């Protein structure tokens, strides 16, 4: 069992309350999708889970424990800055591995898993395009054998054909490994596809949370309805106001 | 560093440095005896054929002494630099590994030391260690150290905000390894360049100390001491002072110029050195009198890698064109080639690459900088983390339009308002990390608006933004286009984004355009098997949650893997024999609709509407 629990978490930057008293549970083996506008505090909340941002008050627990090193891994939003430009991609992936595994074989396996040629393990990130880099980042997160994975906008830089493959992959891996996952994305269609539950964030607060089907079918909050309306549809053109 | 050798200044200074090193190594062996030979018959002589720089008070030849002194002079300067740089590096990187309170103490100490005048420090050390070589070396070293520590700290801080550092931390990488494996390698270049400059400064300072008599002491001698001795007799025998003086100046210059050439090479924008290649004619019926005319564009990297292979298109005034395609299809490189930003060792060739009626290569940087604006895929890394947003935006106008600092800043604030950043005055004073992703992207666009751009190239400007902000940025681009009648080239992997905003769409695959059509026909008349597959793969709010998403099998070829035939053939449901051997050209299907496929229009129409969904 591995349940991620944000227990009344607040994060303050100077005068600005980026995350405001958020309580959220990511139940064991489930995917919670988190949507919200830019600056609403999604990434900050995610960062508290992996200890990159200290909480101002409240706590983050995995199975009731505060020590969650290595049990929670994260895939970042920007594939251009999330890989060390001077380190081979194999090196980056191997860094997160626990001791005592055959690093070379494991790197090859992980690269294969994310549909990259294992022969590229020695390439530097500059040789990869954005989408390829993001898959490397995914492989790196999985290298640590985590129980909880935070995915922060991981598909927003991917192509649709690859996005589909990665989402299928994420779902497949999540189910097979029994991962608990906090999946952050601006794309409602994507969130809907992977998530069991959906949480909507605005101005540092969770304004709505519930089973995915319910939230999408009967949005309870005004902002959720707005998001649904803003989701790009095929035949609608953007009005220049 | 290697690039530094390509500039004439860099090359000259590198040759000079090499010469100095040779002298330092061999001069004492070759001429050591002659430099020390006392000749009582030739005391204090002026310049002559036998002694070109004259002799000193013991009759020793000054030219040989200058040559032999190279070793000590350069050696001591380098020693001081190494100690100084080493200490600086240590002090500068300590805060990254120390606990927070200790880090704060080190940082304050460095800040105080930076404010302390170097020469005073030198005199202070001379008093402590006594006048002599040791004191002088330490004095100069410790004068270098604080500024180097500060530099290291600043660079480290800049790098620490990047996601790859965070990612490594989340993986459980320790602070020390983080510093050694991730931080230092990424700041090595500016550090090395500055160390070279510091060596030049150390050399001249050392000469100064020796000259003042608090550096090298007799019987040792370096250029500074030779200069001091020579200066006593400058009216009698000018050559004996000018010789060592020239040596100091030349060596100092060599270090400084090399450092600056390296810095310029590291930070510089490489020019496009294009030469047209005749092969691979792409057919375009358009006469090519658009704002941007691209014909048969290739971008090549060493090793036969050609990620962009014969791209041709035209952008007309005020038009909004979308470029879609998978990761690695060459969208960004096409954009970079058009903005003249392809970095070495990439090389750009084209039959035609004209912007605003002129060949792109003939447009001066300044003009291009104001007429063409580029918005990058990654707004975080395109801003310098250490400078305020307002200043960075203003800089464009200071450099390209010669505005004063104040005017440029006012204009920047105005442009921030134009892109609807709330409270632009206050926001202009903030640093990039204080902006959210969407605001940074808008600030980037504001920067592009500092000139009067006729073309805005936006490479994935909405990637990583959420829907509401994405809409804002897209609206902003559309508004710029209507209000300023600028053309927009919008690059995106998201076909729905392009469909919402653009007039025409170019679909790229494996470095070529495979289909071009008006966006309003995209969902009804797209014909290329890749385009139709792409459209089918977009998930929407009605996608079946229990079935796997539609994906295009396989993956696009890497630029190095492209062989003869249609590059989409391995993934194409319609592929036939011919597809595997010959690559189809982009040819007109109807007015404004071009497709690169061997299949007939009828076959394609059938497949697009009936067969595969
Ligand atoms: N410096 C380089 N050296 C070698 N290959 C490179 C270099 N830069 C880019 N490439 C290759 O060129 C191809 C095209 O890259 P480009 O960045 O233009 O793709 P893109 O279409 O913009 O992809 P994305 O949607 O992921 O941004 C990629 O396969 C990439 O690996
Ligand atoms: S040329 Fe052949 S392989 Fe290429 S897209 Fe057309 S049918 Fe498919
Ligand atoms: Mg790109």
């Amino acid at each position: 069992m591995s349940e991620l629990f944000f227990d009344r978490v607040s994060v303050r930057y100077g005068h600005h309350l980026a995350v405001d008293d958020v309580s959220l549970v990511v139940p064991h083996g489930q995917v919670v999708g988190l949507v919200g506008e830019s600056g609403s505090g999604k990434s900050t909340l995610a960062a508290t889970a992996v200890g990159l941002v200290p909480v101002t008050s409240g706590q983050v627990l995995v199975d009731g424990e505060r020590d969650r090193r290595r049990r929670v891994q994260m895939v970042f939003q920007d594939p251009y800055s999330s890989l060390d430009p001077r380190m081979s991609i194999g090196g980056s992936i191997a860094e997160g591995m626990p001791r005592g595994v055959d690093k070379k074989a494991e790197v090859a396996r992980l690269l294969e898993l994310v549909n990259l040629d294992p022969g590229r393990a020695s390439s530097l990130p500059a040789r990869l395009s954005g989408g390829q880099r993001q898959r490397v980042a995914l492989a790196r997160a999985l290298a640590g054998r985590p129980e909880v994975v935070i995915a922060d906008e991981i598909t927003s830089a991917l192509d649709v054909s690859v996005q589909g493959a990665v989402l299928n992959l994420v779902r497949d891996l999540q189910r097979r490994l029994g991962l608990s996952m906090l999946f952050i994305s601006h794309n409602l269609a994507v969130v809907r596809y992977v998530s069991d539950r959906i949480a909507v964030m605005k101005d540092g607060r969770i304004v709505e949370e519930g089973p995915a089907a319910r939230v999408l079918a009967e949005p309870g909050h005004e902002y959720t309805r707005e998001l649904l309306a803003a989701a790009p549809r095929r035949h609608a053109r953007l009005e220049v106001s | 560093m290697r690039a530094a050798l390509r500039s004439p200044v860099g090359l000259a200074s590198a040759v000079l440095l090499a010469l100095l090193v040779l002298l330092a190594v061999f001069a004492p062996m070759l001429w050591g005896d002659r430099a020390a030979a006392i000749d009582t018959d030739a005391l204090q002589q002026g310049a002559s054929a036998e002694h070109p720089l004259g002799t000193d008070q013991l009759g020793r030849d000054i030219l040989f002494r200058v040559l032999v002194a190279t070793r000590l002079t350069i050696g001591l300067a380098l020693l001081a630099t190494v100690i100084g740089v080493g200490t600086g590096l240590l002090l500068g990187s300590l805060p990254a590994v120390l606990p927070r309170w200790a880090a704060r103490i080190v940082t304050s100490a460095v800040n105080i030391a930076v404010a302390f005048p170097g020469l005073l420090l030198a005199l202070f050390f001379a008093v402590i260690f006594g006048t002599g070589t040791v004191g002088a070396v330490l004095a100069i070293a410790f004068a270098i150290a604080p500024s180097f520590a500060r530099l290291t700290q600043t660079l480290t801080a800049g790098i620490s905000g990047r996601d790859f550092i965070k990612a490594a931390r989340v993986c459980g990488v320790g602070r020390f390894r983080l510093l050694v494996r991730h931080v230092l390698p990424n700041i090595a270049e500016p550090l090395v360049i500055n160390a070279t400059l510091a060596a030049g400064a150390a050399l001249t300072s050392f000469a100064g100390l020796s000259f003042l008599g608090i550096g090298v002491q007799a019987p040792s001698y370096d250029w500074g001491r030779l200069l001091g001795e020579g200066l006593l007799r400058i009216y009698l025998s000018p050559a004996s002072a000018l010789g060592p003086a020239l040596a100091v100046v030349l060596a100092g210059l060599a270090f400084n110029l090399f450092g600056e050439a390296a810095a310029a090479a590291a930070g510089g924008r490489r020019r496009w050195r294009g030469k047209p290649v005749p092969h691979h004619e792409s057919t375009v019926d358009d006469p090519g009198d658009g704002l941007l005319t691209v014909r048969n564009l290739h971008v090549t990297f060493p090793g036969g890698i050609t990620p962009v292979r014969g791209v041709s298109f035209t952008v007309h005034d005020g038009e909004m064109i979308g470029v879609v395609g998978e990761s690695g299809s060459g969208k960004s490189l096409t954009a970079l080639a058009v903005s003249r930003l392809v970095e070495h060792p990439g090389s750009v060739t084209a039959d035609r690459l004209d912007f605003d009626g002129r060949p792109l290569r003939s447009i001066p940087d300044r003009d291009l900088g104001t007429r063409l604006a580029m918005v990058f895929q990654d707004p975080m890394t395109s801003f310098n983390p250490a400078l305020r947003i307002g200043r960075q935006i203003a800089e464009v106008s200071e450099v390209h339009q010669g505005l004063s600092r104040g005017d440029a800043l006012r204009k920047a604030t105005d442009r921030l308002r134009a892109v609807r950043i709330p409270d632009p005055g206050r926001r202009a004073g903030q640093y990039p990390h204080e902006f959210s992703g969407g605001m940074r992207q808008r600030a980037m666009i504001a920067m592009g608006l500092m000139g009067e751009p006729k073309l805005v190239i936006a490479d994935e400007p909405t990637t990583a933004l959420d829907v509401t902000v994405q809409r804002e940025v897209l609206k902003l681009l559309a508004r710029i286009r209507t209000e300023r009648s600028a053309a927009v080239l919008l690059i995106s992997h998201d076909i729905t984004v392009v469909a919402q905003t653009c007039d025409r769409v170019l679909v790229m695959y494996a470095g070529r355009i495979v289909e071009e059509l008006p966006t309003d026909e995209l969902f009804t008349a797209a014909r290329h098997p890749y385009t139709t597959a792409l459209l089918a793969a977009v998930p929407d709010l009605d996608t079946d949650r229990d079935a796997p998403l539609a994906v295009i099998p396989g993956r696009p070829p890497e630029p190095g893997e492209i062989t003869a035939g249609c590059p989409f053939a391995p993934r194409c449901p319609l592929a036939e024999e011919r597809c595997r051997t010959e690559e189809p050209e982009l040819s007109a299907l109807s007015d404004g609709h071009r497709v690169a496929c061997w299949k007939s229009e009828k076959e394609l129409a059938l497949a697009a509407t009936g067969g595969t969904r």
Side-chain angles (χ1 to χ4, degrees):
Chain A
M1 290 298 279
S2 29
E3 176 189 87
L4 177 66
F5 178 32
F6 295 92
D7 181 15
R8 306 201 59 181
V9 169
S10 293
V11 178
R12 183 182 286 283
Y13 290 128
H15 292 295
H16 177 61
L17 200 55
V19 173
D20 184 4
D21 196 22
V22 165
S23 292
L24 181 67
V25 176
V26 180
H28 172 74
Q30 292 210 16
V31 183
V32 173
L34 183 61
V35 287
E37 69 186 339
S38 105
S40 66
K42 304 185 300 279
S43 295
T44 307
L45 184 67
T48 60
V50 286
L52 283 174
V53 168
V55 296
T56 309
S57 65
Q59 55 183 348
V60 186
L61 307 171
V62 174
D63 293 341
E65 283 179 36
R66 295 185 83 147
D67 182 16
R68 51 185 190 282
R69 261 171 304 165
R70 280 184 193 256
R71 298 175 68 183
V72 185
Q73 284 296 324
M74 176 150 168
V75 184
F76 291 83
Q77 177 168 340
D78 179 359
Y80 286 85
S81 75
S82 69
L83 294 175
D84 184 342
R86 311 271 164 155
M87 187 179 269
S88 73
I89 59 176
S92 286
I93 294 173
E95 240 181 1
M97 286 178 191
R99 260 173 243 280
V101 294
D102 176 356
K103 294 204 167 168
K104 212 168 155 202
E106 184 72 355
V107 165
R109 186 185 71 84
L110 287 164
L111 282 175
E112 197 78 67
L113 201 62
V114 296
N115 302 327
L116 281 174
D117 175 8
R120 297 198 88 162
S122 57
S123 320
L124 290 178
R127 304 220 139 214
L128 304 184
S129 65
Q132 294 165 333
R133 292 181 201 206
Q134 195 61 310
R135 279 177 274 156
V136 173
L138 189 62
R140 173 180 53 194
L142 294 176
R145 309 254 168 97
E147 296 157 41
V148 181
V149 171
I150 315 278
D152 188 0
E153 298 277 8
I154 57 163
T155 55
S156 50
L158 300 185
D159 306 293
V160 280
S161 82
V162 179
Q163 169 181 301
V166 169
L167 288 176
N168 289 341
L169 176 76
V170 162
R171 250 174 43 145
D172 180 46
L173 290 171
Q174 183 264 327
R175 285 177 189 170
R176 239 176 32 209
L177 307 176
L179 296 172
S180 313
M181 185 176 250
L182 183 65
F183 188 95
I184 302 173
S185 171
H186 64 268
N187 188 330
L188 264 189
V190 167
V191 165
R192 171 186 165 279
Y193 184 71
V194 292
S195 308
D196 303 301
R197 302 179 70 82
I198 292 181
V200 181
M201 202 164 175
K202 183 173 167 52
D203 298 334
R205 298 178 148 269
I206 303 274
V207 296
E208 179 160 9
E209 201 269 341
R214 205 275 296 146
V215 171
L216 293 171
E218 305 152 26
H221 194 273
E222 178 54 34
Y223 181 65
T224 314
R225 282 192 284 277
E226 244 176 75
L227 276 181
L228 273 166
R233 311 226 174 210
R234 295 187 164 211
H235 299 283
R237 269 187 84 80
L238 194 75
E239 299 294 317
V240 182
S241 57
Chain B
M1 275 289 154
R2 208 173 307 147
L5 296 181
R6 254 185 290 280
S7 72
V9 174
L11 189 64
S13 50
V15 168
L16 213 54
L17 279 185
L19 215 66
L20 282 173
V21 170
L22 285 179
L23 269 182
V25 175
F26 294 111
M29 299 181 209
L30 294 175
W31 304 305
D33 296 341
R34 296 175 68 175
I38 297 174
D39 183 355
T40 41
D41 294 338
L43 299 181
Q44 309 220 10
Q45 285 190 347
S48 65
E50 201 183 335
H51 304 291
L53 295 182
T55 59
D56 66 4
Q57 60 275 60
L58 292 180
R60 295 173 294 201
D61 183 87
I62 292 179
L63 176 60
F64 284 123
R65 286 174 76 74
V66 169
L67 291 175
V68 170
T70 311
R71 178 184 284 181
L72 191 64
T73 312
I74 303 269
L76 289 178
L78 287 185
L79 182 66
T81 312
V82 167
I83 298 178
V85 167
T87 314
L89 213 54
L90 192 71
L91 285 177
S93 44
L94 266 183
V97 286
L98 287 179
R100 203 167 281 211
W101 61 269
R104 210 167 293 151
I105 295 178
V106 173
T107 311
S108 326
V110 166
N111 286 343
I112 293 170
V114 166
F116 210 74
L119 190 65
L120 215 59
L121 211 62
L123 293 173
F124 175 68
F125 277 111
V127 173
I128 295 185
F129 296 106
T131 51
T133 316
V134 178
V137 166
L138 289 179
I140 289 171
F142 289 120
I144 293 174
S147 61
F148 227 81
R150 169 73 74 79
L151 181 72
T152 310
Q153 266 171 18
T154 314
L155 291 170
T156 307
I159 273 289
S160 299
R162 305 275 292 273
D163 283 347
F164 68 83
I165 300 284
K166 294 187 198 160
R169 276 172 59 192
V170 173
C171 281
V173 175
R175 290 178 190 219
F176 184 72
R177 185 180 155 88
L178 207 61
L179 181 71
V180 175
R181 292 301 303 271
H182 293 288
V183 177
L184 290 182
N186 282 295
I187 60 174
E189 193 164 280
L191 288 181
V192 169
I193 289 166
N194 277 283
T196 315
L197 293 174
L203 189 118
T204 39
S205 322
F206 218 109
L209 290 185
S210 293
F211 173 76
L212 292 175
I214 53 177
V216 172
Q217 302 296 319
S220 303
Y221 56 97
D222 67 345
W223 291 342
R225 256 196 40 156
L226 291 177
L227 181 63
E229 289 169 4
L231 216 56
L232 298 175
R233 302 188 291 125
I234 185 130
Y235 296 112
L236 303 172
S237 160
S240 58
L242 289 181
L246 196 68
V248 171
V249 170
L250 272 182
L253 266 182
F255 276 108
N256 280 316
L257 289 181
F258 186 74
E260 281 180 8
R269 171 191 248 209
R270 271 112 203 167
R271 294 191 154 270
W272 173 54
R273 289 180 302 267
K275 45 185 184 311
V277 280
H279 72 107
H280 234 315
E281 198 57 45
S282 213
T283 48
V284 176
D285 28 7
D286 194 290
D289 52 358
L291 173 68
L292 175 69
T293 308
V294 179
R295 290 294 174 270
N296 201 18
L297 175 75
H298 285 74
V299 180
T300 312
F301 287 96
I305 296 172
T306 309
V308 177
R309 311 176 296 129
V311 162
S312 303
F313 63 93
T314 306
V315 180
H316 296 282
D317 277 309
E319 222 181 359
M320 192 147 173
I321 306 277
V323 181
V324 295
E326 271 180 274
S327 182
S329 59
K331 306 182 297 289
S332 297
L333 281 177
T334 302
L336 290 175
V338 167
S339 329
R340 244 172 30 194
L341 287 172
V342 171
E343 298 230 353
H344 182 82
S347 86
V348 175
T349 61
D351 291 350
R352 262 184 87 182
L353 193 47
D354 293 354
F355 176 62
D356 206 10
R358 279 192 285 172
L360 188 71
R361 57 197 293 199
S362 72
I363 303 177
D365 274 355
R366 164 191 297 249
D367 287 6
L368 197 66
T370 54
R371 311 273 270 291
L372 188 147
M374 178 99 189
V375 183
F376 287 99
Q377 194 161 2
D378 46 347
M380 186 64 220
T381 39
S382 13
F383 279 111
N384 181 339
L387 288 179
R388 293 173 202 278
I389 292 269
R391 277 238 50 73
Q392 294 191 56
I393 297 177
E395 202 172 18
V396 182
S397 279
E398 276 177 56
V399 175
H400 290 311
Q401 294 158 348
L403 291 191
S404 75
R405 224 177 142 107
D407 285 345
L409 197 59
R410 260 187 296 283
K411 189 167 178 182
T413 311
D414 179 67
R415 292 302 190 266
L416 283 175
R417 184 174 300 116
V419 297
R420 308 219 168 139
I421 298 243
D423 198 0
R426 185 176 64 87
R427 287 293 186 173
Q430 292 187 327
Y431 291 94
H433 71 265
E434 296 177 83
F435 274 45
S436 74
M439 287 196 330
R440 271 199 295 264
Q441 199 56 281
R442 277 181 276 171
M444 205 46 214
I445 297 174
M447 189 179 314
L449 294 182
M450 289 299 277
E452 288 301 326
K454 299 193 75 170
L455 176 63
V456 178
I457 298 180
D459 187 356
E460 308 269 7
T462 58
T463 298
L465 299 182
D466 56 71
V467 241
T468 43
V469 184
Q470 175 173 319
R471 266 160 75 90
E472 278 299 306
V473 172
L474 289 175
K475 275 187 187 172
L476 176 63
L477 285 174
R479 216 171 43 157
I480 286 164
R481 174 234 186 151
T482 43
E483 282 173 12
R484 298 173 187 256
S485 58
V488 178
L489 189 68
L490 175 68
I491 296 174
S492 176
H493 63 273
D494 189 342
I495 206 158
T496 54
V497 162
V498 165
Q500 278 176 18
T501 42
C502 297
D503 306 319
R504 269 191 298 144
V505 55
L506 309 173
V507 182
M508 282 191 75
Y509 190 78
R512 308 199 79 188
I513 295 177
V514 295
E515 183 158 17
E516 170 178 353
L517 79 170
T519 24
D520 48 13
E521 295 175 15
L522 187 59
F523 292 98
T524 51
R527 287 297 176 256
H528 194 281
Y530 173 63
T531 317
T532 50
L534 209 53
L535 289 169
V538 184
D540 57 35
L541 290 177
D542 304 313
T543 307
D544 182 1
R545 277 199 43 149
D546 297 320
L549 285 172
V551 293
I552 307 176
R555 57 176 174 82
E558 302 283 340
E561 296 170 352
I562 292 168
T563 50
C566 174
F568 190 56
R571 309 171 78 186
C572 180
L574 303 183
E576 54 181 21
E577 205 37 52
R578 186 183 191 185
C579 303
R580 286 179 244 283
T581 51
E582 265 179 276
E583 183 161 14
E585 290 291 339
L586 193 59
S587 57
L589 208 60
S590 62
D591 201 20
H593 191 170
R594 299 187 292 156
V595 175
C597 178
W598 289 126
K599 294 284 178 180
S600 71
E601 187 181 357
K602 208 185 260 162
E603 288 169 297
L604 288 177
L606 190 69
T609 49
T612 50
R613 174 183 158 167

